[in-house]
Amino acid sequence: MDELGSSICHSDTNTNVCCTSFLFVPTQTMFTLLYPIVRIEQPYTEIFRNYVYENTNTLDRNIKLLPWHRVHNRKTILRSLTIQQCPDLFSKKLEISTEIFEEGHKNDLYDKILIKNKLNIFNKDYIWKVYTDYDLIKQYLTDQHYQLTDNIDQADIIFVKEQIQDFRYETLNNKLINQFPFENVLTNKELLALTARRWKSIYGASSSSSTTTIENDPYIESHGNPPWLPVTFDLTHELPQFAVYFQVNFY
């Protein structure tokens, strides 16, 4: 949003315009389209937009609207969300929720019991067939020991951008692939932080760090960060906790 767009105030009841992001692909330029949703007849009428029009969660909605609250109201909302008054809010252990880790992988197929691949031993003159959708690999993989193929079933090596969903041995056999099941716990930054937080839920805090200032902070302690991980919040699921933590420690 430019100076005009960012100056549009929020309103729940007097909304008269809407803003939508628009990507112009030929120039890779992002625009914000502003258009009226009611008839505006009077000149110099102030325009309003609803910044959280799709949010029905009362707590989450209030937190997202904090920038438009007066300072006094902002502090009142945040001070009502302390550990003492809202223990349930800070007792949720997001890192042990299997639903978050399995989201997006519900249809994945993989062997429940690990099957160790036994790679065939090829002589040095063997030509490996490679299936890929990377243009750079197609352009620069020119070594005589490799041959590109458009048939994935004939490939010895599969190197693709598209997420593989069937990791079963009976499907892949001895093919070499560039992915592994649930790799997004490392490649997705939100899940990577949650995976790191699981360290503390499994092994607990180290005795050497139990007396540090960080460990003595009840908001960090309830959050579950291990001593070696900076305080990290998943803003999709932990926005209220982040706002309260910021209010307590920095405001």
Side-chain angles (χ1 to χ4, degrees), residues 58-73:
T58 303
L59 175 59
D60 196 51
R61 182 182 179 86
N62 287 337
I63 295 298
K64 289 183 176 180
L65 290 178
L66 284 178
W68 288 274
H69 282 292
R70 296 184 181 276
V71 175
H72 173 73
N73 294 337

